[in-house]
Amino acid sequence: MANQNPSPFVHIDARSAAGALSRGQDPHALERGTSAVLYYLYTSLPDLPVSASACLSALPASPSADSTDRISALPGAVLREIVSRLPVKDAARTAVLSKRWLPIWRGTPLVLDDTNLRPRALVGRAPTRADSPALTAAITRVLAAHPGPFRAVYLVRSYMDAHQQQLAHWLRLLAAKGVEELVLVNRPWPIDMPLPGTILNIATLTRLFIGVWKFPDTTGLPRRGCGGRGALFPHLRELVVCCVSMENRDMDFLLTGSPVLETLGIQGYKKGALCLRLVGQYLQCVQICLSVVETIAVVEAPLLERLILWEPLDGSCIRLKIGHAPKLRILGYLEPGIYTLEMRNTVINSRKGVSSSTMAPSLKVLALSVRFGVSSDAKMFPALLRCFPNVDTLHIVSEKTVEATGKLNLKFWRENGPIESIQSCIKVMTFREFRGDRSELDFLKFFMKTARVLEKVEITSAVGCFTSIDQLQSKVLALDPDNWASDDCSLAVYIGSGEGSDIWNFRRGLDVSVGDPFARY
């Protein structure tokens, strides 16, 4: 029987635990689930633009050395650059160094990180609700003391349900004083904590990351885009929403009002199924993970380079429509049976041939999740590859088949006809979650004996399927490497870790400087 007095918990409070008990739920399971949400959320946060280990010192190296304050003699522009790279506490302390430093601090766009405002005794442990009043007061003092602008504000450690008025006040101050980057996370109970509508007034934002909120209702608000009375967020280049409860109309409101948006990340989308319509002249990267999705329509995105879809929830059946995206270079993970691909108003299936109008020749990196033991899924594999004739890097995750349907052997793959990208383009192929099933081996044999320009193959086993690397290598030798089509292909095999780290990372997916976000790292 569950503990009748489950407190204390780290991530949920006594009231939430008691509420779980009253609903017949185990509050410890709720605690574990909340911990998992926080893990994904905090590992997805962008890096701070300052170093927490940075320090400022003008002391001489030894008592006998020259004690002249040479730092204060530096030009004002250099001093402002120094202060802008310090954590907020250290930046504020520079104001007492000398009269020279006071206007420097007040005139420098600061970085405010609430983690840096915690007392030293609390550093290194998870924040609790009891810490929140002191932290909230410290944030209020900093926002009131500095005239702005703020280069970045990261508020990620507060339980905001008891401080809703302060939060609305903070957002008004940030709108008035100007903030470029805002990362705003509510500790997750209540999970539907209302986000004040004043956030929609911060027109100076270039980056917005919001986590664990209920988004303001935008019903009745004027749609402000490049063709309206001025954009909602005219400078916003990066938007990430994690575990946010919002309607499709709210998402459309955000996207319409962000005319220069380059990066869009959605994780844990709530409130029904996501129906996303992508229209953006500057949009380069879109990533959607761990969400219930119905439709993703790439309508007009001339600069879109990467579209990343990972782990749809609740058995979603997703329609992916790709219209005008002439620079699309990276796409994944598509999964037959989950995604229905539509290329320029034509639905792709295993029975219909692919024409030039249904191809995306710009694509270079493709990731697929395939149940090779399900014939309908495996039969879609050739059709998908034929839509992307110039792919040079192919990543495959072999999904576990609960119940096999049909037997697609080596003969099926040979009789399916030539696949141009396999024969002439693919240089790198990774195969993850390998179990050594006959359906996997038959596909891999076909692939290796067809891929003439293949240079590198990586095979990673599913957890628990092989007890040693020698056992895995022995199984892979059944692929007959001596008879592969490519004479210069290297082969590496790995035992799966089971941690998921070798498959996906949300921040890596949003980092456009990473050439191949699906590669092992």
Side-chain angles (χ1 to χ4, degrees), residues 284-492:
Q284 298 176 28
C285 172
V286 176
Q287 180 176 206
I288 304 167
C289 300
L290 300 168
S291 299
V292 180
V293 183
E294 182 177 314
T295 303
I296 301 169
V298 183
V299 180
E300 181 70 26
L303 298 183
L304 184 65
E305 293 187 1
R306 60 174 67 191
L307 178 58
I308 299 169
L309 315 167
W310 177 245
E311 289 290 342
L313 299 181
D314 292 347
S316 304
C317 293
I318 303 167
R319 182 173 291 271
L320 173 60
K321 303 178 180 180
I322 298 180
H324 186 64
K327 292 191 176 182
L328 187 62
R329 192 178 66 85
I330 298 171
L331 176 63
Y333 279 90
L334 292 186
E335 182 175 351
I338 298 295
Y339 289 93
T340 298
L341 179 62
E342 184 176 316
M343 301 289 290
R344 300 177 189 88
N345 300 317
T346 299
V347 176
I348 306 302
N349 59 55
S350 60
R351 300 179 301 275
K352 184 183 297 184
V354 174
S355 66
S356 59
S357 64
T358 58
M359 292 181 182
S362 61
L363 202 80
K364 296 296 184 180
V365 179
L366 177 64
L368 300 173
S369 293
V370 183
R371 295 177 297 175
F372 286 97
V374 176
S375 61
S376 59
D377 288 11
K379 287 178 179 179
M380 274 298 301
F381 185 94
L384 291 175
L385 272 187
R386 289 185 175 109
C387 289
F388 310 110
N390 296 321
V391 166
D392 58 29
T393 303
L394 177 64
H395 299 284
I396 299 173
V397 173
S398 180
E399 295 289 344
K400 186 176 182 180
T401 303
V402 177
E403 183 177 353
T405 59
K407 295 181 179 180
L408 301 186
N409 53 26
L410 185 58
K411 181 181 178 182
F412 161 79
W413 294 106
R414 288 172 175 168
E415 293 179 348
N416 198 267
I419 301 175
E420 180 64 26
S421 58
I422 295 180
Q423 289 185 330
S424 307
C425 296
I426 296 177
K427 297 179 180 179
V428 176
M429 192 273 280
T430 69
F431 195 98
R432 297 186 174 101
E433 299 298 300
F434 176 72
R435 297 172 181 83
D437 295 341
R438 174 51 55 188
S439 58
E440 295 175 328
L441 289 169
D442 284 339
F443 165 74
L444 286 171
K445 287 179 181 178
F446 161 77
F447 188 95
M448 304 305 187
K449 293 183 178 182
T450 308
R452 296 194 294 257
V453 299
L454 196 62
E455 297 175 356
K456 181 180 179 180
V457 174
E458 293 182 359
I459 297 178
T460 304
S461 72
V463 176
C465 289
F466 298 91
T467 58
S468 68
I469 195 71
D470 290 338
Q471 185 186 24
L472 174 58
Q473 288 176 333
S474 177
K475 192 71 170 181
V476 170
L477 287 177
L479 300 177
D480 193 14
D482 292 335
N483 290 317
W484 289 359
S486 173
D487 295 328
D488 300 316
C489 181
S490 66
L491 171 65

Side-chain angles (χ1 to χ4, degrees), residues 51-71:
S51 170
S53 60
C55 62
L56 179 66
S57 175
L59 295 176
S62 66
S64 60
D66 183 3
S67 60
T68 303
D69 180 4
R70 302 186 187 280
I71 293 182

